[in-house]
Amino acid sequence: MTRVVITGMGAITPVGNTVAEFLDGIYSNKVGLAPITHFDATETGITIAGEVKNYDPAERVGKREARKMDLFAQYGVHAAGEALEQAGLLEGFDKPERVGVVLGNGIGGLTTVQDNVIKMNEKGPQRVSPLFVPNGIPNMASGNVSLRYGAKGVNYTISTACASATNAIGEAYLRIKAGILDVMITGGTEATINQIGIAGFAALTALSTETEPNKASTPFDTNRHGFVMGEGAGILVLESLEHAQARGAEILAEVVGYGTNSDAYHLTSPTPDGSGPAGSMQLAIADAGLQPSDIDYVNAHGTATGANDAAESKALELVFGKQGVLASSTKGMTGHLLGAAGAIEAIAAIGAFTHDFVPENVGMVEQDPETTGALLANADNKYVNANYVLSANYGFGGHNAAVIFKKWSE
């Protein structure tokens, strides 16, 4: 089978607007959460979110082009530009028909939908924007990236809630592994910090009502109280090893395993015994031809909701044993990027290869005794010469997905 490598990465996140800024922030425990500024959130009862800061669409998207895209699509195009630039592919492809795009997105152009529904109710249906449909539909995550950069292979968006980006990376990996395409632009993007997005998740009692940013997102903590909404995008350029080496590309890491399955249990809750999430990790480990003991670090989904953290802890124990693997959630710093979460968390996990230590579980002060495992508490700074890292995400609807990355070596 074809080996699949990563040659470029791009990110725009609450912690930083480039991969370098993002990784520097994550590995120095920077909390990117702050009071909501996108709109007046007073009536929602929610005050904190992980907003992207100082975003300038002129930098990579273009001001005129940005007016034709919802923010989630802009973030995707922006991060893809950085990833392709690092990969040395920003100027185009020798065989564009051998280059595909598959991105993850959970909700689509929610701000576009919200604003146009309001406009229709206030001013009538004739005032709905002619760009309402092309800006609002979720597939424009990949559609705009394909249009902008000229990728003519497969072009689709996966929507599996909070597992979307991880599924996208895994499906991109499978296409290259099977020899169908040479290059895939993959990852995820999301922008749902608006009135309806915050109000909707608040109605589920899923969001943290904490008013202090450093205490808002506390994955696996005994006093955790819900997740914090985040936004942004993460993009990876995947290539066949042969294609990357033929053009002399710098290789950042290798993708070696992917697993996905379904809980078939509940609309919003994971299987309480952790068997569903555990199954996706076990499938990824088997796909990579590894044993659980080979995994040096797991970037956990860790949303700071009661049901998720408890079930995920059981899943980690099922796969790795009570103290079998170093694990942490980076959502204490970024918040939860929904359909883009798996992309930035994959980048955070890959960062372990260059930093020689793994991210801490920022926000956890007292680990919930129901969440077993070697979770990285504040100030742990676990230095690890990692060879294999796993990133896992789980979503409403019972979606589970996990990918494994290997430190690059011939």
Side-chain angles (χ1 to χ4, degrees), residues 130-155:
L131 291 174
F132 166 67
V133 172
N135 281 2
I137 50 181
N139 67 296
M140 283 302 177
S142 60
N144 276 294
V145 169
S146 174
L147 285 165
R148 171 58 64 89
Y149 300 111
K152 295 185 177 182
V154 296
N155 164 23

Side-chain angles (χ1 to χ4, degrees), residues 292-376:
S293 58
D294 294 319
I295 304 299
D296 298 301
Y297 167 70
V298 172
N299 189 292
H301 191 51
T303 60
T305 60
N308 177 88
D309 288 9
E312 185 170 21
S313 175
K314 291 182 175 66
L316 290 169
E317 184 175 338
L318 284 172
V319 178
F320 300 102
K322 277 190 176 292
Q323 300 291 332
V325 69
L326 292 174
S328 66
S329 168
T330 43
K331 288 184 176 70
M333 295 175 275
T334 66
H336 189 356
L337 272 65
L338 307 181
I344 67 164
E345 290 163 16
I347 293 170
I350 291 166
F353 298 145
T354 56
H355 288 69
D356 289 329
F357 66 101
V358 293
E360 295 173 22
N361 198 92
V362 171
M364 185 179 72
V365 177
E366 179 183 351
Q367 184 176 340
D368 185 343
E370 293 296 314
T371 61
T372 60
L375 291 165
L376 297 164

Side-chain angles (χ1 to χ4, degrees), residues 116-129:
N116 278 272
V117 169
I118 291 171
K119 187 180 292 185
M120 181 180 70
N121 285 335
E122 291 181 348
K123 299 181 179 180
Q126 299 301 318
R127 298 300 298 273
V128 171
S129 169

Side-chain angles (χ1 to χ4, degrees), residues 72 86 99 103 168 194 239 312 336 355:
F72 85 103
Q86 183 179 32
V99 180
L103 297 185
N194 51 35
E239 293 187 57
E312 185 170 21
H336 189 356
H355 288 69

